[in-house]
Amino acid sequence: MADTQTQSTEQEWGRVLICGGINWAHNGKKDKVANGTPDLLSPYILRSLSNLKIVKLITGPSANYAVVLDIHGAAYIFGRPPSPALATSSDIISENAPVKISPTSLELKEGVKFVDGAAGRGHVLLIDSEGGVWGCGNNVTAQIGLPVTMLIPKFTKVTGPWLKDPEVKIIQVTAGHTFSLFLTSTGQVYAAGSSENGQLGNGKTGERLVKAGKVTFDLEVPPRLVQGFTDKKIVQIASGNQHSLALDEEGFVYAWGYAGYSRLGLQDQVNRLVPTIVPHFAGNNIATRGHAILCGPTSSIVIDRQKMFLIAGKFKLTGDGSTGQAYTYFNLSVMACKVIKASCGGCTHFLTTPDPVGGIMTVGFGQGAVTDHLLELGLGPDAGKSATKAQKIEPLSGIDVIDVAGGAFFSLFLAKPNEALEDLTRFPEWVPSDSNCMVCGDDDSAGVQLECEKCEQPYHLFCLDPPLKDVPEGQWFCPECAQEADGGVDHPFLPLSLDEPRPRNRLQSALERVQASSGDAPGPAAPGSAAANSNSRKGSRTPSVKPDSQSRAGSVASGTPRGTKRDREGSSAVGEFRLVRRTVAIAEPEVKLGLALISAAPR
Ligand SMILES: [Zn+2]
Ligand SMILES: [Zn+2]
C-alpha cells in the first residue's frame, strides 16, 4: 500500500533490482567456483530492500559493493564494503542484511539527507544535502582527501578548501583507484590523491626519484583545485580507474589522466596532466556538444545533446573497442537510440531509452563474446552467448527503469512500481514464514490472509489496523515492513529472517517503540497484545471474504493482484539459479594500492 501513497511532490523513487555476482567474498577470484553462491542471471527484486523507496544507486566499475539511498536520506550498504568496520560481524555485508547508515549517526543535524556519492574500488564517498562530503575506506594515497593513513574505518568528513566559503557546496564526487574529484556548486573541481598519471589535473605527476628505478609520487591533500576551469562552470564530472572527464555548462568536454587505450578520446595515448578539451564535442554545432558524461574503467562515454551514446577507449575484449582496436576518438557504438540514463560496470554498459511501445527500455552490452562476463547484463538464462552489440534486456520488458548502476561484478536497476515489476521474482525467492496470522494467531480458515511482499508473514484482512475489506491492488507490505520503510532515517532496519519466520515480537516491539515516541496519549491496543487477541475484538470484525483456501489458490493462479497468500511450497523452487564459473580478464596496468612506492616501469 505504500505504493499508493505517492504524492506529486515526492521525489521519484523505485525498488532495487539486482543481477550478476553476489558472492561478495569471492567475486572476481579464482576460488569462486568452490564457494558457490549462484550468480543471478536475470534481474531480481532485492527482497531485503523491497519495502524501501530508493532514490539513488551508488556503485562503480571497480566496486564490489553498493550503497543505495532512500527517500528519507538514509544510506544502505551491502557487498564487500571498503572498510570492514562498516560491517557488523564479518567483512562482508550480505545483500540480505544491508547496513543502514543514517546522517544523524554522523552527527548531521535532523533533516539532513545523504543525496549522492561515489563508489571506488577501495573507498566510498557520500554527499549530504548541506554539501558536505564523507569518506570511508582506503586512504593510502590520500584518495579520500584526508591525511594519508591506511584506512579511514568509518565515514569521516572531508575537509577541503571549499569549506572556507559557507555558500559553497559539493554537488558531485568521483572515486578513481588512487584519487577523488569534488565538484562544487560554483562549478569548480577539486582533486585529491595520487597524480602519477596526471589524474589530479594539476599539471604535474608529482614524481620524485627515490633510488634507481624507483620513484615516489607526491600525494595531494587536502584537495586542490584542478587547473583550467577558473573561468568556466563545470556541471558534471566522471572518473575511470585512472582518468577523468568534466563537462561544462556550454557542453564542452574535458579529459585528463592516464591515456592508455586512447581512453581520453584524444586520438593518442599521451597522458594529459591538465584538463584537455575534446575536439569531438567542441564544434560550433550545439547539437554535437556534450549532454552527460561517464567513465568505464578504461573508457570514456559522452551522451551528446542529441542524446546519442559515444564511447572512446577500450571497452571490449575483441573487435572494435578492444585492446587491439580501441576507439581512439569518440564513436557511436550502439544502436542509435536516445539515451535517458547510462552506466558502466566492470565489463558492462547499460542505457535506458524510450520504448517504442511506451515506457522505458533497458539496453545493455558486455565487453565481448565472453559468456562469463555477461551475467551482470541480466539478459536471462536463455540469452545468447554474445552481447558485443547492444541488446534489449528482455527480463526487464515492461519495467520502467529510472536509474541503473553497474558494479564490478553485478548490476543494479531502480524500477518504478508497476504491474510488470510485481511479476518479477524476488531474491531470495523464498523466506520462511508462519501460516497463522501475525496478529490473532489463527489460521486462514478464519478469513483471507494477506502475505507481506518482503517478510511473507500473513495477516488477516480484518486484523489490520485499519481493517481492510478487500485485497489491495499492487504490492502490500505488513505493518512492520511498512513502518521500517516509512519510519525515517533513525528507524531500525532489520535483516531478512532467513532461518526461521520473522519473529512475532519484532512487530510488537517496533510498534511499541513508535507508540512510546508519539507522546503519552493512550493509543489503541497494539496488535498482538492481549487486548488485540481477545474474543471481543476478533468478534467485532467480520471477514468480508469467505474463508475458502481452494478458491483463493485458484484465483491467484488466474492472476489476481499480488499480495494474497500464495502457495509457499510452490514458490520454493530454486532451480533457476545457475552456478557459472567466472574469470576476470581485464588487462589494466595496476597501480598497487598499499604501497607508497609505485614502480615506474614503462607501460
Ligand atoms: Zn488475524
Ligand atoms: Zn513484512
Side-chain angles (χ1 to χ4, degrees):
M1 285 200 302
D3 293 356
T4 62
Q5 292 166 356
T6 309
Q7 291 163 9
S8 57
T9 53
E10 198 175 58
Q11 198 175 357
E12 188 173 47
W13 56 267
R15 308 294 189 193
V16 177
L17 315 183
I18 187 167
C19 65
I22 53 168
N23 189 348
W24 310 106
H26 300 277
N27 268 347
K29 293 184 178 172
K30 284 178 182 166
D31 63 349
K32 184 163 186 242
V33 180
N35 296 278
T37 301
D39 291 333
L40 306 178
L41 301 190
S42 57
Y44 287 74
I45 297 172
L46 184 53
R47 183 189 288 271
S48 63
L49 299 174
S50 62
N51 54 333
L52 303 184
K53 295 174 177 177
I54 299 298
V55 296
K56 185 87 193 166
L57 307 173
I58 302 166
T59 183
S62 298
N64 188 23
Y65 62 93
V67 183
V68 303
L69 308 180
D70 77 2
I71 202 160
H72 306 293
Y76 301 79
I77 185 166
F78 58 93
R80 178 165 223 149
S83 163
L86 293 175
T88 45
S89 51
S90 73
D91 60 349
I92 299 294
I93 304 175
S94 164
E95 70 284 355
N96 296 319
V99 168
K100 181 175 182 176
I101 302 165
S102 84
T104 47
S105 73
L106 304 183
E107 291 174 7
L108 281 162
K109 65 174 186 269
E110 214 165 295
V112 177
K113 301 176 172 189
F114 290 129
V115 291
D116 202 355
R121 179 173 64 181
H123 73 291
V124 58
L125 300 170
L126 287 176
I127 303 176
D128 68 52
S129 52
E130 297 195 315
V133 182
W134 302 79
C136 174
N138 190 328
N139 195 44
V140 164
T141 62
Q143 58 263 64
I144 289 176
L146 292 166
V148 173
T149 171
M150 283 299 285
L151 184 76
I152 305 288
K154 295 264 189 179
F155 279 100
T156 304
K157 187 157 187 174
V158 178
T159 49
W162 57 82
L163 291 173
K164 286 180 200 145
D165 184 345
E167 297 296 306
V168 175
K169 296 178 172 188
I170 295 300
I171 57 170
Q172 205 201 333
V173 287
T174 70
H177 274 355
T178 58
F179 69 100
S180 297
L181 299 183
F182 308 84
L183 175 63
T184 69
S185 50
T186 51
Q188 295 301 297
V189 182
Y190 288 85
S194 167
S195 189
E196 73 278 5
N197 295 305
Q199 298 98 315
L200 303 189
N202 59 10
K204 57 182 184 177
T205 60
E207 183 176 317
R208 280 187 289 123
L209 193 67
V210 177
K211 60 178 184 178
K214 287 279 182 188
V215 295
T216 185
F217 295 91
D218 290 336
L219 303 176
E220 204 62 72
V221 65
R224 184 169 156 158
L225 210 54
V226 171
Q227 286 185 12
F229 293 146
T230 45
D231 59 342
K232 299 183 171 65
K233 182 163 189 190
I234 301 300
V235 294
Q236 209 186 346
I237 51 177
S239 293
N241 290 347
Q242 301 181 65
H243 75 292
S244 293
L245 298 179
L247 174 73
D248 75 14
E249 61 182 347
E250 294 180 77
F252 292 106
V253 176
Y254 307 84
W256 68 97
Y258 185 58
Y261 308 121
S262 303
R263 72 191 67 180
L264 301 181
L266 295 168
Q267 305 197 37
D268 59 39
Q269 299 200 60
V270 180
N271 295 353
R272 299 302 197 282
L273 306 185
V274 292
T276 304
I277 198 159
V278 181
H280 198 101
F281 307 101
N284 287 329
N285 182 357
I286 302 286
T288 62
R289 301 260 179 92
H291 166 72
I293 51 174
L294 59 154
C295 289
T298 58
S299 62
S300 297
I301 289 147
V302 175
I303 313 298
D304 72 12
R305 290 190 173 181
Q306 301 170 86
K307 309 292 165 61
M308 294 293 127
F309 182 101
L310 295 103
I311 186 165
K314 170 182 175 287
F315 55 95
K316 287 183 191 171
L317 291 176
T318 56
D320 286 350
S322 70
T323 313
Q325 295 155 282
Y327 283 177
T328 59
Y329 62 96
F330 283 86
N331 254 285
L332 187 69
S333 72
V334 294
M335 62 172 88
C337 50
K338 290 197 182 294
V339 176
I340 303 170
K341 291 263 184 181
S343 178
C344 297
C347 311
T348 49
H349 296 80
F350 296 99
L351 58 90
T352 61
T353 184
D355 193 321
V357 300
I360 293 170
M361 185 200 297
T362 307
V363 170
F365 62 101
Q367 195 161 25
V370 182
T371 317
D372 289 355
H373 282 157
L374 296 180
L375 301 167
E376 52 267 47
L377 281 176
L379 294 169
D382 304 322
K385 288 186 176 180
S386 171
T388 53
K389 288 205 167 67
Q391 55 182 274
K392 180 181 178 183
I393 298 173
E394 288 293 345
L396 293 173
S397 286
I399 294 175
D400 290 338
V401 170
I402 55 174
D403 197 9
V404 53
F409 311 101
F410 66 101
S411 309
L412 300 178
F413 308 89
L414 194 60
K416 262 163 86 167
N418 66 8
E419 276 185 31
L421 181 65
E422 285 167 29
D423 289 338
L424 206 64
T425 311
R426 286 160 289 171
F427 180 84
E429 207 166 347
W430 179 86
V431 290
S433 59
D434 291 312
S435 51
N436 288 359
C437 172
M438 290 292 280
V439 178
C440 69
D442 283 351
D443 63 18
D444 61 1
S445 65
V448 168
Q449 291 179 337
L450 286 175
E451 185 180 83
C452 176
E453 293 282 345
K454 177 175 176 177
C455 71
E456 304 275 352
Q457 290 291 50
Y459 292 76
H460 287 120
L461 289 175
F462 56 81
C463 282
L464 293 166
D465 186 15
L468 292 180
K469 281 191 169 169
D470 302 301
V471 173
E473 286 203 28
Q475 295 184 309
W476 180 82
F477 295 98
C478 75
E480 179 174 342
C481 293
Q483 179 62 29
E484 190 180 58
D486 297 335
V489 293
D490 292 321
H491 193 277
F493 181 75
L494 302 172
L496 280 183
S497 242
L498 295 175
D499 300 327
E500 56 184 20
R502 196 203 74 210
R504 202 168 293 240
N505 60 10
R506 292 217 294 194
L507 168 65
Q508 194 172 347
S509 58
L511 289 176
E512 279 168 358
R513 276 197 301 275
V514 171
Q515 282 185 344
S517 65
S518 66
D520 49 11
S529 69
N533 283 337
S534 73
N535 284 334
S536 64
R537 181 182 170 102
K538 256 164 68 181
S540 69
R541 316 216 181 250
T542 312
S544 61
V545 184
K546 285 260 179 207
D548 182 346
S549 58
Q550 285 303 103
S551 69
R552 216 167 46 249
S555 68
V556 169
S558 64
T560 46
R562 286 280 286 272
T564 50
K565 191 161 172 59
R566 289 179 293 272
D567 176 8
R568 294 195 185 83
E569 299 301 316
S571 67
S572 64
V574 290
E576 278 177 57
F577 304 143
R578 311 251 173 94
L579 179 63
V580 183
R581 192 176 60 83
R582 167 85 56 106
T583 55
V584 169
I586 309 171
E588 163 74 359
E590 282 296 291
V591 176
K592 292 249 185 323
L593 287 179
L595 292 172
L597 284 177
I598 298 171
S599 165
R603 277 186 277 260

